[in-house]
Amino acid sequence: MSDQRITLKASKGLLRMAAKNHGEVSIRDIEIKMLLGYCWWYDLPVIETLLDVLEMALKGSISEVLPHDELLVDYTVRTNDLPDDSSEVEIIFNGISADGIEFSTPSGLVLRGDDSRGLLQKITSFRRRVNENVQRVL
């Protein structure tokens, strides 16, 4: 088992990320409510902004425990409607590696919020769901 690992935990209003490389640990928090307020204030897309912040936090956290040049992040994003209308986002990590060194990752992360969609929108949401694989080099 590798000694490089990423751990993600979501609780109400907080996403905690920890990166571990042998004995070194880096912990970062993302305050979801603050991020939502920021997106609302500046009229930004919530899911895309969340993913960008998550990628930056991963890069920073891994840099603290393992200095690197390139970070490869591979994940799948699934939503239950269009990203801006969805009440549930699932992020499934396929792989994270820094300069070829693989980090073991959690199987997935599910973020749920209030579902304010109407009945017709809920019934027809299967047509608008997102299931997208994202690969980025940071």
Side-chain angles (χ1 to χ4, degrees), residues 74-103:
D74 182 10
Y75 59 91
T76 302
V77 177
R78 294 181 184 155
T79 63
N80 63 349
D81 205 328
L82 289 171
D84 285 342
D85 295 334
S86 65
S87 62
E88 184 175 298
V89 177
E90 183 178 10
I91 303 168
I92 302 166
F93 290 95
N94 303 320
I96 297 175
S97 64
D99 290 340
I101 299 171
E102 281 285 325
F103 279 77

PDB file of all heavy atoms in Angstrom, residues 74-103:
ATOM      1  N   ASP A  74      -7.535  13.359 -12.371  1.00  0.00           N
ATOM      2  CA  ASP A  74      -8.507  12.700 -13.237  1.00  0.00           C
ATOM      3  C   ASP A  74      -9.725  12.347 -12.387  1.00  0.00           C
ATOM      4  O   ASP A  74      -9.608  11.612 -11.405  1.00  0.00           O
ATOM      5  CB  ASP A  74      -7.882  11.436 -13.832  1.00  0.00           C
ATOM      6  CG  ASP A  74      -8.806  10.706 -14.798  1.00  0.00           C
ATOM      7  OD1 ASP A  74      -9.862  11.267 -15.169  1.00  0.00           O
ATOM      8  OD2 ASP A  74      -8.471   9.573 -15.174  1.00  0.00           O
ATOM      9  N   TYR A  75     -10.886  12.914 -12.748  1.00  0.00           N
ATOM     10  CA  TYR A  75     -12.107  12.650 -11.995  1.00  0.00           C
ATOM     11  C   TYR A  75     -13.318  12.714 -12.909  1.00  0.00           C
ATOM     12  O   TYR A  75     -13.257  13.244 -14.016  1.00  0.00           O
ATOM     13  CB  TYR A  75     -12.261  13.609 -10.814  1.00  0.00           C
ATOM     14  CG  TYR A  75     -12.310  15.079 -11.181  1.00  0.00           C
ATOM     15  CD1 TYR A  75     -13.514  15.714 -11.440  1.00  0.00           C
ATOM     16  CD2 TYR A  75     -11.143  15.833 -11.249  1.00  0.00           C
ATOM     17  CE1 TYR A  75     -13.557  17.058 -11.770  1.00  0.00           C
ATOM     18  CE2 TYR A  75     -11.180  17.171 -11.577  1.00  0.00           C
ATOM     19  CZ  TYR A  75     -12.385  17.781 -11.834  1.00  0.00           C
ATOM     20  OH  TYR A  75     -12.419  19.116 -12.166  1.00  0.00           O
ATOM     21  N   THR A  76     -14.415  12.159 -12.413  1.00  0.00           N
ATOM     22  CA  THR A  76     -15.686  12.176 -13.133  1.00  0.00           C
ATOM     23  C   THR A  76     -16.689  12.975 -12.310  1.00  0.00           C
ATOM     24  O   THR A  76     -16.764  12.806 -11.093  1.00  0.00           O
ATOM     25  CB  THR A  76     -16.206  10.738 -13.341  1.00  0.00           C
ATOM     26  OG1 THR A  76     -15.224   9.991 -14.061  1.00  0.00           O
ATOM     27  CG2 THR A  76     -17.505  10.730 -14.124  1.00  0.00           C
ATOM     28  N   VAL A  77     -17.432  13.843 -12.988  1.00  0.00           N
ATOM     29  CA  VAL A  77     -18.450  14.662 -12.334  1.00  0.00           C
ATOM     30  C   VAL A  77     -19.820  14.195 -12.820  1.00  0.00           C
ATOM     31  O   VAL A  77     -20.054  14.091 -14.019  1.00  0.00           O
ATOM     32  CB  VAL A  77     -18.268  16.160 -12.670  1.00  0.00           C
ATOM     33  CG1 VAL A  77     -19.374  16.989 -12.053  1.00  0.00           C
ATOM     34  CG2 VAL A  77     -16.922  16.645 -12.239  1.00  0.00           C
ATOM     35  N   ARG A  78     -20.707  13.928 -11.855  1.00  0.00           N
ATOM     36  CA  ARG A  78     -22.080  13.552 -12.172  1.00  0.00           C
ATOM     37  C   ARG A  78     -23.025  14.472 -11.410  1.00  0.00           C
ATOM     38  O   ARG A  78     -22.831  14.708 -10.221  1.00  0.00           O
ATOM     39  CB  ARG A  78     -22.358  12.111 -11.757  1.00  0.00           C
ATOM     40  CG  ARG A  78     -21.584  11.097 -12.540  1.00  0.00           C
ATOM     41  CD  ARG A  78     -21.930   9.712 -12.101  1.00  0.00           C
ATOM     42  NE  ARG A  78     -21.107   8.754 -12.811  1.00  0.00           N
ATOM     43  CZ  ARG A  78     -20.818   7.559 -12.367  1.00  0.00           C
ATOM     44  NH1 ARG A  78     -21.288   7.157 -11.196  1.00  0.00           N
ATOM     45  NH2 ARG A  78     -20.065   6.756 -13.065  1.00  0.00           N
ATOM     46  N   THR A  79     -24.033  14.972 -12.106  1.00  0.00           N
ATOM     47  CA  THR A  79     -25.047  15.810 -11.463  1.00  0.00           C
ATOM     48  C   THR A  79     -26.424  15.231 -11.775  1.00  0.00           C
ATOM     49  O   THR A  79     -26.573  14.452 -12.714  1.00  0.00           O
ATOM     50  CB  THR A  79     -24.990  17.274 -11.958  1.00  0.00           C
ATOM     51  OG1 THR A  79     -25.288  17.305 -13.357  1.00  0.00           O
ATOM     52  CG2 THR A  79     -23.632  17.890 -11.708  1.00  0.00           C
ATOM     53  N   ASN A  80     -27.427  15.630 -10.999  1.00  0.00           N
ATOM     54  CA  ASN A  80     -28.775  15.118 -11.225  1.00  0.00           C
ATOM     55  C   ASN A  80     -29.624  16.047 -12.100  1.00  0.00           C
ATOM     56  O   ASN A  80     -30.803  15.822 -12.263  1.00  0.00           O
ATOM     57  CB  ASN A  80     -29.483  14.829  -9.907  1.00  0.00           C
ATOM     58  CG  ASN A  80     -29.696  16.054  -9.058  1.00  0.00           C
ATOM     59  OD1 ASN A  80     -29.146  17.111  -9.336  1.00  0.00           O
ATOM     60  ND2 ASN A  80     -30.485  15.914  -8.012  1.00  0.00           N
ATOM     61  N   ASP A  81     -29.005  17.090 -12.655  1.00  0.00           N
ATOM     62  CA  ASP A  81     -29.682  18.014 -13.567  1.00  0.00           C
ATOM     63  C   ASP A  81     -28.581  18.850 -14.216  1.00  0.00           C
ATOM     64  O   ASP A  81     -27.402  18.537 -14.072  1.00  0.00           O
ATOM     65  CB  ASP A  81     -30.668  18.905 -12.797  1.00  0.00           C
ATOM     66  CG  ASP A  81     -31.810  19.420 -13.683  1.00  0.00           C
ATOM     67  OD1 ASP A  81     -31.568  19.632 -14.887  1.00  0.00           O
ATOM     68  OD2 ASP A  81     -32.925  19.590 -13.175  1.00  0.00           O
ATOM     69  N   LEU A  82     -28.950  19.923 -14.884  1.00  0.00           N
ATOM     70  CA  LEU A  82     -27.934  20.858 -15.362  1.00  0.00           C
ATOM     71  C   LEU A  82     -27.112  21.318 -14.162  1.00  0.00           C
ATOM     72  O   LEU A  82     -27.645  21.443 -13.054  1.00  0.00           O
ATOM     73  CB  LEU A  82     -28.591  22.073 -16.028  1.00  0.00           C
ATOM     74  CG  LEU A  82     -29.253  21.835 -17.379  1.00  0.00           C
ATOM     75  CD1 LEU A  82     -30.033  23.077 -17.797  1.00  0.00           C
ATOM     76  CD2 LEU A  82     -28.236  21.469 -18.423  1.00  0.00           C
ATOM     77  N   PRO A  83     -25.828  21.583 -14.338  1.00  0.00           N
ATOM     78  CA  PRO A  83     -24.999  21.936 -13.179  1.00  0.00           C
ATOM     79  C   PRO A  83     -25.558  23.061 -12.315  1.00  0.00           C
ATOM     80  O   PRO A  83     -25.504  22.975 -11.094  1.00  0.00           O
ATOM     81  CB  PRO A  83     -23.669  22.325 -13.814  1.00  0.00           C
ATOM     82  CG  PRO A  83     -23.606  21.496 -15.044  1.00  0.00           C
ATOM     83  CD  PRO A  83     -25.027  21.439 -15.549  1.00  0.00           C
ATOM     84  N   ASP A  84     -26.095  24.101 -12.914  1.00  0.00           N
ATOM     85  CA  ASP A  84     -26.603  25.211 -12.109  1.00  0.00           C
ATOM     86  C   ASP A  84     -27.933  24.908 -11.426  1.00  0.00           C
ATOM     87  O   ASP A  84     -28.303  25.576 -10.470  1.00  0.00           O
ATOM     88  CB  ASP A  84     -26.747  26.479 -12.958  1.00  0.00           C
ATOM     89  CG  ASP A  84     -25.396  27.110 -13.254  1.00  0.00           C
ATOM     90  OD1 ASP A  84     -24.415  26.778 -12.550  1.00  0.00           O
ATOM     91  OD2 ASP A  84     -25.313  27.924 -14.189  1.00  0.00           O
ATOM     92  N   ASP A  85     -28.661  23.892 -11.907  1.00  0.00           N
ATOM     93  CA  ASP A  85     -29.951  23.544 -11.321  1.00  0.00           C
ATOM     94  C   ASP A  85     -29.882  22.306 -10.431  1.00  0.00           C
ATOM     95  O   ASP A  85     -30.853  21.977  -9.762  1.00  0.00           O
ATOM     96  CB  ASP A  85     -30.985  23.275 -12.430  1.00  0.00           C
ATOM     97  CG  ASP A  85     -31.293  24.521 -13.237  1.00  0.00           C
ATOM     98  OD1 ASP A  85     -31.141  25.633 -12.692  1.00  0.00           O
ATOM     99  OD2 ASP A  85     -31.684  24.387 -14.417  1.00  0.00           O
ATOM    100  N   SER A  86     -28.764  21.617 -10.422  1.00  0.00           N
ATOM    101  CA  SER A  86     -28.691  20.343  -9.705  1.00  0.00           C
ATOM    102  C   SER A  86     -28.630  20.543  -8.196  1.00  0.00           C
ATOM    103  O   SER A  86     -28.143  21.536  -7.691  1.00  0.00           O
ATOM    104  CB  SER A  86     -27.476  19.539 -10.170  1.00  0.00           C
ATOM    105  OG  SER A  86     -26.292  20.202  -9.821  1.00  0.00           O
ATOM    106  N   SER A  87     -29.157  19.556  -7.501  1.00  0.00           N
ATOM    107  CA  SER A  87     -29.118  19.569  -6.042  1.00  0.00           C
ATOM    108  C   SER A  87     -28.137  18.530  -5.515  1.00  0.00           C
ATOM    109  O   SER A  87     -27.924  18.433  -4.320  1.00  0.00           O
ATOM    110  CB  SER A  87     -30.513  19.278  -5.479  1.00  0.00           C
ATOM    111  OG  SER A  87     -30.926  17.986  -5.881  1.00  0.00           O
ATOM    112  N   GLU A  88     -27.546  17.763  -6.418  1.00  0.00           N
ATOM    113  CA  GLU A  88     -26.600  16.728  -6.020  1.00  0.00           C
ATOM    114  C   GLU A  88     -25.459  16.670  -7.025  1.00  0.00           C
ATOM    115  O   GLU A  88     -25.688  16.639  -8.228  1.00  0.00           O
ATOM    116  CB  GLU A  88     -27.307  15.378  -5.961  1.00  0.00           C
ATOM    117  CG  GLU A  88     -26.443  14.258  -5.469  1.00  0.00           C
ATOM    118  CD  GLU A  88     -27.226  12.972  -5.315  1.00  0.00           C
ATOM    119  OE1 GLU A  88     -28.166  12.951  -4.508  1.00  0.00           O
ATOM    120  OE2 GLU A  88     -26.896  12.008  -6.011  1.00  0.00           O
ATOM    121  N   VAL A  89     -24.242  16.670  -6.501  1.00  0.00           N
ATOM    122  CA  VAL A  89     -23.047  16.565  -7.335  1.00  0.00           C
ATOM    123  C   VAL A  89     -22.207  15.430  -6.775  1.00  0.00           C
ATOM    124  O   VAL A  89     -21.950  15.367  -5.582  1.00  0.00           O
ATOM    125  CB  VAL A  89     -22.219  17.869  -7.311  1.00  0.00           C
ATOM    126  CG1 VAL A  89     -20.951  17.715  -8.120  1.00  0.00           C
ATOM    127  CG2 VAL A  89     -23.034  19.029  -7.816  1.00  0.00           C
ATOM    128  N   GLU A  90     -21.797  14.533  -7.650  1.00  0.00           N
ATOM    129  CA  GLU A  90     -20.937  13.426  -7.251  1.00  0.00           C
ATOM    130  C   GLU A  90     -19.613  13.584  -7.996  1.00  0.00           C
ATOM    131  O   GLU A  90     -19.594  13.727  -9.217  1.00  0.00           O
ATOM    132  CB  GLU A  90     -21.591  12.093  -7.593  1.00  0.00           C
ATOM    133  CG  GLU A  90     -20.798  10.903  -7.157  1.00  0.00           C
ATOM    134  CD  GLU A  90     -21.490   9.584  -7.457  1.00  0.00           C
ATOM    135  OE1 GLU A  90     -22.504   9.586  -8.176  1.00  0.00           O
ATOM    136  OE2 GLU A  90     -20.997   8.562  -6.974  1.00  0.00           O
ATOM    137  N   ILE A  91     -18.523  13.550  -7.244  1.00  0.00           N
ATOM    138  CA  ILE A  91     -17.183  13.646  -7.826  1.00  0.00           C
ATOM    139  C   ILE A  91     -16.489  12.324  -7.535  1.00  0.00           C
ATOM    140  O   ILE A  91     -16.296  11.958  -6.377  1.00  0.00           O
ATOM    141  CB  ILE A  91     -16.392  14.813  -7.216  1.00  0.00           C
ATOM    142  CG1 ILE A  91     -17.159  16.119  -7.403  1.00  0.00           C
ATOM    143  CG2 ILE A  91     -15.010  14.907  -7.844  1.00  0.00           C
ATOM    144  CD1 ILE A  91     -16.612  17.274  -6.604  1.00  0.00           C
ATOM    145  N   ILE A  92     -16.145  11.593  -8.595  1.00  0.00           N
ATOM    146  CA  ILE A  92     -15.494  10.293  -8.465  1.00  0.00           C
ATOM    147  C   ILE A  92     -14.050  10.453  -8.953  1.00  0.00           C
ATOM    148  O   ILE A  92     -13.818  10.786 -10.109  1.00  0.00           O
ATOM    149  CB  ILE A  92     -16.224   9.222  -9.292  1.00  0.00           C
ATOM    150  CG1 ILE A  92     -17.674   9.123  -8.841  1.00  0.00           C
ATOM    151  CG2 ILE A  92     -15.512   7.880  -9.194  1.00  0.00           C
ATOM    152  CD1 ILE A  92     -18.556   8.372  -9.778  1.00  0.00           C
ATOM    153  N   PHE A  93     -13.113  10.216  -8.050  1.00  0.00           N
ATOM    154  CA  PHE A  93     -11.700  10.371  -8.398  1.00  0.00           C
ATOM    155  C   PHE A  93     -11.189   9.093  -9.049  1.00  0.00           C
ATOM    156  O   PHE A  93     -11.260   8.018  -8.479  1.00  0.00           O
ATOM    157  CB  PHE A  93     -10.877  10.703  -7.155  1.00  0.00           C
ATOM    158  CG  PHE A  93     -11.154  12.067  -6.636  1.00  0.00           C
ATOM    159  CD1 PHE A  93     -12.076  12.259  -5.618  1.00  0.00           C
ATOM    160  CD2 PHE A  93     -10.526  13.177  -7.182  1.00  0.00           C
ATOM    161  CE1 PHE A  93     -12.354  13.522  -5.154  1.00  0.00           C
ATOM    162  CE2 PHE A  93     -10.805  14.440  -6.722  1.00  0.00           C
ATOM    163  CZ  PHE A  93     -11.721  14.614  -5.702  1.00  0.00           C
ATOM    164  N   ASN A  94     -10.646   9.251 -10.264  1.00  0.00           N
ATOM    165  CA  ASN A  94     -10.066   8.124 -10.995  1.00  0.00           C
ATOM    166  C   ASN A  94      -8.568   8.023 -10.741  1.00  0.00           C
ATOM    167  O   ASN A  94      -8.003   6.944 -10.857  1.00  0.00           O
ATOM    168  CB  ASN A  94     -10.341   8.269 -12.491  1.00  0.00           C
ATOM    169  CG  ASN A  94     -11.821   8.385 -12.773  1.00  0.00           C
ATOM    170  OD1 ASN A  94     -12.633   7.719 -12.163  1.00  0.00           O
ATOM    171  ND2 ASN A  94     -12.187   9.259 -13.696  1.00  0.00           N
ATOM    172  N   GLY A  95      -7.938   9.145 -10.429  1.00  0.00           N
ATOM    173  CA  GLY A  95      -6.509   9.117 -10.149  1.00  0.00           C
ATOM    174  C   GLY A  95      -5.944  10.504  -9.930  1.00  0.00           C
ATOM    175  O   GLY A  95      -6.377  11.471 -10.551  1.00  0.00           O
ATOM    176  N   ILE A  96      -4.985  10.595  -9.022  1.00  0.00           N
ATOM    177  CA  ILE A  96      -4.246  11.830  -8.783  1.00  0.00           C
ATOM    178  C   ILE A  96      -2.784  11.441  -8.673  1.00  0.00           C
ATOM    179  O   ILE A  96      -2.433  10.556  -7.891  1.00  0.00           O
ATOM    180  CB  ILE A  96      -4.712  12.523  -7.478  1.00  0.00           C
ATOM    181  CG1 ILE A  96      -6.173  12.941  -7.586  1.00  0.00           C
ATOM    182  CG2 ILE A  96      -3.830  13.731  -7.170  1.00  0.00           C
ATOM    183  CD1 ILE A  96      -6.755  13.513  -6.306  1.00  0.00           C
ATOM    184  N   SER A  97      -1.937  12.080  -9.469  1.00  0.00           N
ATOM    185  CA  SER A  97      -0.511  11.776  -9.403  1.00  0.00           C
ATOM    186  C   SER A  97       0.299  13.059  -9.550  1.00  0.00           C
ATOM    187  O   SER A  97      -0.034  13.945 -10.328  1.00  0.00           O
ATOM    188  CB  SER A  97      -0.107  10.768 -10.479  1.00  0.00           C
ATOM    189  OG  SER A  97      -0.290  11.301 -11.763  1.00  0.00           O
ATOM    190  N   ALA A  98       1.376  13.123  -8.755  1.00  0.00           N
ATOM    191  CA  ALA A  98       2.285  14.266  -8.782  1.00  0.00           C
ATOM    192  C   ALA A  98       3.622  13.781  -9.311  1.00  0.00           C
ATOM    193  O   ALA A  98       4.279  12.950  -8.680  1.00  0.00           O
ATOM    194  CB  ALA A  98       2.442  14.843  -7.376  1.00  0.00           C
ATOM    195  N   ASP A  99       3.999  14.256 -10.493  1.00  0.00           N
ATOM    196  CA  ASP A  99       5.239  13.837 -11.159  1.00  0.00           C
ATOM    197  C   ASP A  99       5.347  12.313 -11.219  1.00  0.00           C
ATOM    198  O   ASP A  99       6.411  11.734 -10.987  1.00  0.00           O
ATOM    199  CB  ASP A  99       6.464  14.422 -10.453  1.00  0.00           C
ATOM    200  CG  ASP A  99       6.594  15.932 -10.654  1.00  0.00           C
ATOM    201  OD1 ASP A  99       5.988  16.452 -11.616  1.00  0.00           O
ATOM    202  OD2 ASP A  99       7.280  16.571  -9.860  1.00  0.00           O
ATOM    203  N   GLY A 100       4.251  11.644 -11.515  1.00  0.00           N
ATOM    204  CA  GLY A 100       4.245  10.191 -11.670  1.00  0.00           C
ATOM    205  C   GLY A 100       4.042   9.414 -10.388  1.00  0.00           C
ATOM    206  O   GLY A 100       3.909   8.188 -10.418  1.00  0.00           O
ATOM    207  N   ILE A 101       4.006  10.074  -9.245  1.00  0.00           N
ATOM    208  CA  ILE A 101       3.785   9.390  -7.970  1.00  0.00           C
ATOM    209  C   ILE A 101       2.285   9.398  -7.687  1.00  0.00           C
ATOM    210  O   ILE A 101       1.682  10.456  -7.522  1.00  0.00           O
ATOM    211  CB  ILE A 101       4.561  10.074  -6.824  1.00  0.00           C
ATOM    212  CG1 ILE A 101       6.055  10.030  -7.107  1.00  0.00           C
ATOM    213  CG2 ILE A 101       4.232   9.421  -5.492  1.00  0.00           C
ATOM    214  CD1 ILE A 101       6.891  10.852  -6.150  1.00  0.00           C
ATOM    215  N   GLU A 102       1.700   8.200  -7.662  1.00  0.00           N
ATOM    216  CA  GLU A 102       0.255   8.056  -7.468  1.00  0.00           C
ATOM    217  C   GLU A 102      -0.137   8.282  -6.011  1.00  0.00           C
ATOM    218  O   GLU A 102       0.526   7.795  -5.107  1.00  0.00           O
ATOM    219  CB  GLU A 102      -0.208   6.660  -7.866  1.00  0.00           C
ATOM    220  CG  GLU A 102      -0.357   6.455  -9.344  1.00  0.00           C
ATOM    221  CD  GLU A 102      -1.585   7.117  -9.924  1.00  0.00           C
ATOM    222  OE1 GLU A 102      -2.638   7.172  -9.256  1.00  0.00           O
ATOM    223  OE2 GLU A 102      -1.479   7.598 -11.054  1.00  0.00           O
ATOM    224  N   PHE A 103      -1.225   8.994  -5.822  1.00  0.00           N
ATOM    225  CA  PHE A 103      -1.837   9.166  -4.505  1.00  0.00           C
ATOM    226  C   PHE A 103      -3.082   8.293  -4.468  1.00  0.00           C
ATOM    227  O   PHE A 103      -3.863   8.292  -5.425  1.00  0.00           O
ATOM    228  CB  PHE A 103      -2.236  10.623  -4.266  1.00  0.00           C
ATOM    229  CG  PHE A 103      -1.114  11.504  -3.824  1.00  0.00           C
ATOM    230  CD1 PHE A 103      -0.172  11.957  -4.717  1.00  0.00           C
ATOM    231  CD2 PHE A 103      -1.005  11.869  -2.495  1.00  0.00           C
ATOM    232  CE1 PHE A 103       0.866  12.763  -4.310  1.00  0.00           C
ATOM    233  CE2 PHE A 103       0.037  12.676  -2.068  1.00  0.00           C
ATOM    234  CZ  PHE A 103       0.975  13.130  -2.979  1.00  0.00           C
TER     235      PHE A 103
END
